[in-house]
Amino acid sequence: MSKSVTPRTPKGFRDFLPETMLRRNYVLSNITDEFHRFGFEPIGTPILELHETLFGKYGEDAEQLIFTAQHGRSTREPLAMRYDLTVPLARVVGQYENELNFPFKRYHIAPVFRGERPQRGRYREFWQCDADIVGVPGMSADAEIVSLMQRILSRLGFPQFQIKINHRQLLVAIGEFSGVPQEQLPDLYRSVDKFDKIGAEGVRRELTERGIAADAVSRMMDLIQAKAAGAGSLDLIADAIGEDDQGIAELRELAALLAEAKVPPACYEFDFTMARGLGYYTGPIFETVISQPNLGSITGGGRYDNLIGMFRRQSLPTTGTSFGIERIIDLMDELNLYPGRLGGTLVQVLVTVFNQATRGASMRIAEELRGAGINTELYLPSRKLGRQFQYADKKGIPVVVIIGPDELAAGVVKLRRLADGSETTVASSGAVEAALTLLSQTP
RNA sequence: GUGGGCGUAGCUCAAUGGCAGAGCACCUGAUUGUGGUUCAGGCGGUUGAGGGUUCGAGCCCCUUCGUCCACCCCA
């Protein structure tokens, strides 16, 4: 006997039991389905990448969080675990350029790894769910990304959400117009991004502490808080800094396209306080928030025209979004947005086995139900009927089939719906139909 | 990376430094053709781990691990 080991997962890594996994799969299959509806196609890439593929792409702070990997003592190919799905996309585009048909619309749903200290909604292994369009410089691609976000979140049943839209170059223009020195712009973004959390005063204080002139901070704060319905906030900004700005021009075009795409105006707004981590964005940026329970943003993305250049002599214009599915799932749990049929099991019918002599008959019924597309579990252990019912009840299986000696002799099957205890007896040839009827009447 | 809270039965939690408990869950029976109700009984512990103080530690001290929260940063 080996010494017993305390069973546990590594810090920040999680297991998912069936009930949880069913909910995760429900969310992912709905998102996937909508990706397909928009013509996005999947790719898959390895969990491990070459060390050199990942390093040098995220900045020093982030690189400390990258998991590295090795096999035995081999150091011939230093390896690392993927940190996101965007760099792998850039590598794939660079590597298979000749085989891809541009514009390349791909989605990628897979786990990524970051050695951060875990917290609520924050893990060392978490799934990312990205959709990106490579090769389209114009706002038509960005409009499609926004439209996709709106369709997916509506489909998942979120009663209310706000897609916030801003523009990287417009933020630069606002900073410069206000007199914030170029080298302090990153500080400015970082603070402005916390607007929702720490408020206008908090941002003002932080920027002043970082040594940005008070009058520049004041001018900037006034500008970024410009808010009006629809494209109205664009007018406010344009009045102040002038119409001659690429950010404003692109956002105006985007607004027009979103109207054409019939994206409901209530779902999105131009919000100049939204900055995103910044990093590699070069154009419009997107983020979705839900205000009811405030858990932060559930999507994030934007245009990053330079990134693919890391694996290619010339870059390709790219825009896309990432769905924060871990948070989306948390929120859906909290708001109870799952359909009732999801329950705790996917089994629809349990076929009981009365005794060894009737086992064959039960197996035949189960086989028939499965053939008709009904998720059917045959009770495998030899236990008395009461235990088999208890099992079905505890697991949430809606319908139980009984075929004992009496039924066998009479050539019938009995079906019982556990929710209300209603029972029907039908000729064994009618088992499938009876099961379907009972199931369809179950909410 | 910084600061803090919490680790007791499978789960949720009790227990002035003085006999380690309850509810739920689980198992058995009442009930050898029917679950979710009820009743009776039962199983369940190196109090996260290691050290220290004490006549005596779940409780106090140190170390360590885990976990949660707030920062940093981000998804």
Side-chain angles (χ1 to χ4, degrees), chain A residues 18 39 44 53 81 110 146-147 186 217 237 273-274 283 311 313-314 326 330 339 345 355 386 390 394 402 424 428:
Chain A
T53 300
M81 294 167 82
V146 174
S147 176
V217 170
I237 286 282
T273 67
M274 187 275 288
F311 297 95
R313 220 165 263 115
Q314 192 171 12
E326 306 294 353
D330 282 353
T345 182
N355 59 33
Q390 205 174 65
K394 191 179 163 194
I402 307 110
T424 55
S428 34

Side-chain angles (χ1 to χ4, degrees), chain A residues 170-181 185 188 216 220 223:
Chain A
L170 178 54
L171 273 174
V172 172
I174 289 174
E176 284 171 349
F177 179 84
S178 308
V180 177
L185 283 176
L188 179 140
M220 199 234 21
L223 283 173

Side-chain angles (χ1 to χ4, degrees), chain A residues 5 50 229 301 324 434:
Chain A
V5 172
L50 291 175

Side-chain angles (χ1 to χ4, degrees), chain A residues 29 53 63 80 150-151 183 222 247 258 276 280 324 382 400 415:
Chain A
S29 68
T53 300
E63 276 170 13
Q150 183 266 317
R151 290 283 289 270
E183 66 274 13
D222 287 346
L258 291 179
R276 308 257 337 120
Y280 42 61
S382 299
V400 169
L415 298 94

